[in-house]
């Protein structure tokens, strides 16, 4: 060793300074890892949202799933809300649903809000209501074509009720009617029409409010036949926009492309839902030979009617 070379002396060990340095290192490492994780999560979320919302997927999600949900739940007044909420693995929108009751009485239970979700690959998840709702109206629609609610039985029920009661009822035709034949049933023009007979299950139904792009204002001033024709045209337009790959999701709503295409192409009306009819009018309707029977779902006093 060179005697002229200065000797370096090590500083005394300082435990406090060492601990501070270790803590600073840990904090810097944790901050860096956290920043990377946040950046990855943000990129995944924004990237997933961009992928899921590409093109017209948001609007189409409401068009297909929102409309199918309304057909799945003919016993409810349903509103499709703004779309869409996204996560890295799914996209969803909300709907409000209130059970349909006879007009003029208490509104009954307040409406509820539900979420309809499809995964990253476009498959819809668990659905609320539908076959599990088990309402009087959905049961009445499922009774189409069965031996339940026969005319003689319904006559006896109607005979026990006051003339002025408002009713929610399903009028079932003996044979399906073409659009030009609906003029004999004026209430059918503004009602939810039934486009198939499906004993034991919910049939396909449609009205002006079923597809949100079908604006009610378009029907102002039209005759009965033209109103019904316009609703059928909207139904056919909606079915026409469906694609083969939608069939898997439609089956979750107890629907299928084949049934929808047949019902829209045939355009035959098997009955209609009326929430403004009185018991007196139902007694008259049930005697019409074109009416197979009437399925009574609800009755109420109109609290604002002084009669």
């Amino acid at each position: 060793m060179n005697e002229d070379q200065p000797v370096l002396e090590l500083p005394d060990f300082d435990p406090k300074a060492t601990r501070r340095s270790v803590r600073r290192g840990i904090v810097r490492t944790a901050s860096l890892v956290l920043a990377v994780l946040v950046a990855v999560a943000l990129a995944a979320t924004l990237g997933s949202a961009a992928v899921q919302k590409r093109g017209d997927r948001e609007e189409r999600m409401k068009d297909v799933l929102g409309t199918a949900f309304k057909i799945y739940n003919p016993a409810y007044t349903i509103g499709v809300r703004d779309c869409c909420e996204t996560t890295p693995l799914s996209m969803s929108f909300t709907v409000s649903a209130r059970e349909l009751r006879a007009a003029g009485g208490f509104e009954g239970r307040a409406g509820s809000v539900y979420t309809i979700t499809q995964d990253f690959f476009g498959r819809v998840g668990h659905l609320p209501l539908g076959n599990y709702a088990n309402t009087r109206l959905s049961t009445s629609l499922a009774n189409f074509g069965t031996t339940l609610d026969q005319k003689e039985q319904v006559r006896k029920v109607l005979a026990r009720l006051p003339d002025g009661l408002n009713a929610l009822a399903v009028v079932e035709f003996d044979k399906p009617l073409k659009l030009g034949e609906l003029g004999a049933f004026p209430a059918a023009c503004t009602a939810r029409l039934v486009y198939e007979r499906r004993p034991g299950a919910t049939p396909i139904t449609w009205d002006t409010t079923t597809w949100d792009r079908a604006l009610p204002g378009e029907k102002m001033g039209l005759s009965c036949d033209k109103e019904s024709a316009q609703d059928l045209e909207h139904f056919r337009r909606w079915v026409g926009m469906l694609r083969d790959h939608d069939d898997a999701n439609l089956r979750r709503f107890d629907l299928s492309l084949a049934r929808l295409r047949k019902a829209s192409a045939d355009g035959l009306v098997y009955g209609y839902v009326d929430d403004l009819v009185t018991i007196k009018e139902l007694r008259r309707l049930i005697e019409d030979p074109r009416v197979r029977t009437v399925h009574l779902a609800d009755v109420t006093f109109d609290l604002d009617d002084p009669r």
Side-chain angles (χ1 to χ4, degrees):
M1 176 181 295
N2 190 341
E3 295 182 354
D4 296 332
Q5 184 176 355
V7 178
L8 296 177
E9 295 184 0
L10 295 175
D12 294 334
F13 177 70
D14 187 345
K16 292 184 179 179
T18 301
R19 285 195 294 269
R20 285 196 297 270
S21 297
V22 171
R23 283 198 294 268
R24 284 196 297 269
I26 292 174
V27 169
R28 281 197 299 269
T29 303
S31 299
L32 179 61
V33 171
L34 182 60
V36 170
L37 290 176
V38 169
V40 170
L42 188 61
T45 301
L46 295 178
S48 174
V51 170
Q52 293 185 79
K53 292 184 176 183
R54 68 188 183 276
D56 64 344
R57 280 171 62 89
E58 287 181 276
E59 194 64 36
R60 195 167 191 282
M61 183 181 184
K62 288 198 301 182
D63 274 339
V64 177
L65 303 188
T67 303
F69 190 71
K70 292 182 182 183
I71 299 174
Y72 186 49
N73 290 285
Y76 289 83
T77 300
I78 293 173
V80 178
R81 299 190 172 190
D82 292 338
C83 184
C84 299
E85 293 292 330
T86 60
T87 71
L89 297 176
S90 68
M91 184 163 64
S92 63
F93 64 95
T94 56
V95 297
S96 60
R98 180 172 55 83
E99 187 176 348
L100 186 61
R101 305 294 300 273
F106 294 108
E107 289 296 330
R109 292 173 295 180
S112 301
V113 176
Y114 301 95
T115 301
I116 310 298
T117 303
Q118 69 176 26
D119 63 23
F120 186 84
F121 302 102
R123 291 290 178 259
V124 69
H126 170 73
L127 292 170
L129 302 178
N131 295 332
Y132 306 100
N134 198 29
T135 65
R136 284 277 306 185
L137 180 53
S138 60
T139 300
S140 296
L141 288 166
N143 287 344
F144 260 49
T146 69
T147 57
L148 300 173
D149 298 336
Q150 294 187 14
K151 269 192 174 183
E152 190 54 40
Q153 175 190 355
V154 178
R155 284 192 187 102
K156 292 178 180 179
V157 174
L158 295 175
R160 293 189 289 109
L161 297 172
D163 288 357
L165 278 182
N166 280 351
L168 170 64
V170 185
V171 178
E172 180 182 357
F173 299 138
D174 186 50
K175 296 179 180 179
L177 302 183
K178 297 178 180 178
L179 290 184
E181 300 172 308
L182 284 177
F185 300 89
C189 298
T190 56
R192 176 175 282 263
L193 300 182
V194 183
Y195 281 102
E196 66 176 351
R197 182 177 282 129
R198 195 174 174 226
T202 304
I204 294 169
T205 59
W206 190 274
D207 70 6
T208 301
T209 66
T210 305
W211 188 23
D212 288 344
R213 296 197 195 190
L215 302 177
E218 295 178 8
K219 297 177 71 172
M220 294 178 61
L222 296 181
S223 66
C224 177
D225 289 343
K226 288 184 177 179
E227 284 185 13
S228 302
Q230 188 174 87
D231 279 347
L232 177 59
E233 176 59 26
H234 287 149
F235 180 30
R236 286 171 170 166
R237 279 173 52 198
W238 179 74
V239 172
M241 66 169 284
L242 299 175
R243 302 166 187 165
D244 289 345
H245 66 73
D246 290 319
D247 193 56
N249 277 343
L250 291 171
R251 291 182 183 278
R252 299 281 294 171
F253 295 89
D254 194 27
L255 295 168
S256 72
L257 269 177
R259 282 176 46 220
L260 287 166
R261 286 169 175 169
K262 182 180 187 309
S264 64
D266 292 348
L268 297 176
V269 179
Y270 290 79
Y272 63 92
V273 179
D274 192 349
D275 65 340
L276 291 170
V277 67
T278 65
I279 294 298
K280 183 178 181 180
E281 291 168 329
L282 287 179
R283 290 200 194 104
R284 176 183 57 81
L285 271 173
I286 202 169
E287 300 306 327
D288 191 310
R290 292 164 294 188
V291 174
R292 181 176 183 268
T293 191
V294 170
H295 306 273
L296 197 60
D298 186 34
V299 293
T300 187
F301 283 105
D302 186 342
L303 302 179
D304 297 318
D305 190 340
R307 292 175 297 175

